[in-house]
Amino acid sequence: TQVYVISFVCFLCPGMFNALNSLPTAGPSAQEVKDKQNAALYLCFAIMGLLAGGLNNILGPRILAAIGGTGYAIYAAAQYNIFKAQGGNDSAPIPDSANTFSIFSGAYIGLCAGMLWAAQGQICLTYPTESQKGTFFATFWVIFNLGAVLGNTISTALSWGAGSSGVAMNDAMYLIFIVLMAGGSIVAFLIQPPGTIIREDQTQVETPPTNVLREFVEVLKLFTNPAMLTILIPCMSSNWFYTYQFGPFGDNFSGRSNGLKAIFYWLAQAAGAWVLGNMFLDNTKYSRTTRAWTGCYIMIGTTIAFFGGGAAFQYASDSNGWFKKGNHIDAGDNFGQFFGPFILYICYGLYDAFFQVYTNYLIGAISNDSETLSRYAGFYK
């Protein structure tokens, strides 16, 4: 039940954020502001992510998720403020006040995201039994990504009639995002204290007393933990490929086509998470070692195949000048041109689901201790 609650919080907050962030901005000046906004976001996310595991052990996941959810509505409001400041003119300058608010919102959502994902990590990694590690995280990932599916479906439906040159967002769409994101913080109050949770095997989640000094020391110790050092490269690569997929790759498409491909990207995320997490990683017909190594081979194979295909697409589009500025792929005008990159983008979504489920499965396999997994989850984010 608690996994469903945190899943729905993330459905409304980062799920809707992913939908909003995977859509192109209206013009180059807005994109420049969005880049600064996201730079502030990930800087603060990195700092808070590291500290939030300890903070979660002190304050509990309910408080962290409720506070963490507030940043998403502020972020959407800042995006809407830029949209209104330009008055529908892509080339219009953006006032300094709107620029400043946008960067502030990026920093604030970064702090909030660190808190929310630490709470999520503790719940999804601590509450399952040994045979449910993949299933619990996969369940979360499916529900969470359906938020992005819903957000992109609404925005695509509203923007499709505007044609290939139309923008993907309007006043109504921004307001829908803001209201739904604000609802995530309210849902977070349904989260129960970890110490009240009894797992399916009748063991109780233990939450020993802690304090700020102890948590700070334990967080520093993570940098000497061999298991955590092993996942440093996955830590870095995850949000690296997001930046490419939602940025330069998405620039090849018209506004409405971006929304259309994003719907299936997030659907692929949901399907991929369930297939790997529930149907394979928790399949007790095979030993845990066999499942772990096979999962590693799947990651190697899909990395080479999907990103190799992506490299070929990028090279061909650059060298042939297919998608010069203003010459965007549009599903309505030329579906044949859209189909190949569309399938590639679905593969990217499938890959991200495999990546996140597998990495979190490994982290969850290291320990069952609530405090420890809270710190591990924060360290990964």
Side-chain angles (χ1 to χ4, degrees):
T1 302
Q2 292 299 291
V3 170
Y4 289 141
V5 172
I6 193 64
S7 298
F8 196 58
V9 173
C10 290
F11 173 98
L12 292 169
C13 291
M16 291 297 164
F17 167 85
N18 283 342
L20 183 61
N21 221 30
S22 59
L23 295 170
T25 51
S29 55
Q31 183 60 51
E32 183 180 348
V33 174
K34 187 176 178 181
D35 289 342
K36 293 177 182 177
Q37 185 183 38
N38 283 336
L41 189 165
Y42 285 110
L43 172 64
C44 294
F45 193 178
I47 296 169
M48 180 53 76
L50 182 63
L51 302 175
L55 197 61
N56 184 65
N57 289 337
I58 297 170
L59 299 177
R62 177 190 292 167
I63 293 176
L64 252 66
I67 297 173
T70 62
Y72 293 86
I74 299 295
Y75 178 88
Q79 299 288 71
Y80 181 52
N81 192 39
I82 294 290
F83 178 78
K84 296 300 286 183
Q86 288 191 298
N89 182 0
D90 293 358
S91 59
I94 297 173
D96 289 342
S97 58
N99 196 338
T100 302
F101 177 44
S102 181
I103 295 172
F104 163 77
S105 74
Y108 182 63
I109 193 180
L111 297 175
C112 288
M115 291 188 277
L116 177 58
W117 284 103
Q120 175 274 330
Q122 183 196 48
I123 291 172
C124 290
L125 297 177
T126 303
Y127 296 176
T129 62
E130 289 294 339
S131 62
Q132 298 172 322
K133 297 282 187 177
T135 300
F136 270 46
F137 188 84
T139 299
F140 162 79
W141 204 253
V142 169
I143 297 172
F144 152 57
N145 280 297
L146 290 178
V149 172
L150 175 63
N152 279 116
T153 300
I154 295 171
S155 63
T156 303
L158 290 175
S159 66
W160 195 262
S164 61
S165 60
V167 296
M169 296 295 287
N170 55 37
D171 284 10
M173 196 60 236
Y174 274 112
L175 293 174
I176 289 171
F177 272 107
I178 292 169
V179 170
L180 290 176
M181 287 173 165
S185 288
I186 299 172
V187 175
F189 285 101
L190 296 175
I191 296 174
Q192 300 302 307
T196 66
I197 304 301
I198 298 175
R199 299 184 183 92
E200 199 169 285
D201 61 2
Q202 301 307 305
T203 59
Q204 188 160 3
V205 175
E206 296 181 3
T207 53
T210 187
N211 56 62
V212 174
L213 179 60
R214 179 170 180 269
E215 290 301 326
F216 183 73
V217 171
E218 291 299 325
V219 165
L220 292 180
K221 286 182 181 178
L222 294 176
F223 289 97
T224 63
N225 185 319
M228 292 297 99
L229 295 179
T230 301
I231 65 165
L232 269 181
I233 291 177
C235 286
M236 296 174 66
S237 63
S238 171
N239 283 5
W240 180 278
F241 63 70
Y242 286 153
T243 306
Y244 169 72
Q245 290 167 12
F246 299 155
F249 185 83
D251 291 342
N252 293 310
F253 300 84
S254 67
R256 64 179 185 176
S257 297
N258 247 314
L260 178 62
K261 70 177 179 53
I263 294 171
F264 289 90
Y265 175 91
W266 300 114
L267 281 172
Q269 291 255 14
W274 191 254
V275 168
L276 187 66
N278 175 264
M279 298 176 67
F280 178 71
L281 289 176
D282 281 347
N283 189 335
T284 54
K285 288 194 299 184
Y286 309 101
S287 69
R288 293 185 77 187
T289 305
T290 299
R291 285 177 270 157
W293 276 112
T294 305
C296 185
Y297 300 145
I298 290 171
M299 293 312 306
I300 292 171
T302 52
T303 300
I304 294 170
F306 296 161
F307 285 94
F313 165 80
Q314 191 68 41
Y315 176 78
S317 63
D318 289 346
S319 60
N320 294 311
W322 289 346
F323 313 122
K324 293 178 181 177
K325 190 174 181 63
N327 183 26
H328 293 134
I329 304 172
D330 185 71
D333 294 344
N334 189 343
F335 189 79
Q337 186 187 39
F338 172 77
F339 185 72
F342 171 65
I343 296 299
L344 174 61
Y345 203 59
I346 290 175
C347 290
Y348 281 157
L350 195 65
Y351 177 86
D352 185 30
F354 288 169
F355 186 100
Q356 302 298 343
V357 169
Y358 183 66
T359 306
N360 279 273
Y361 176 80
L362 293 182
I363 294 172
I366 298 170
S367 173
N368 288 319
D369 180 70
S370 174
E371 279 191 316
T372 301
L373 287 174
S374 180
R375 299 185 198 109
Y376 284 2
F379 185 88
Y380 173 55
K381 282 296 175 182

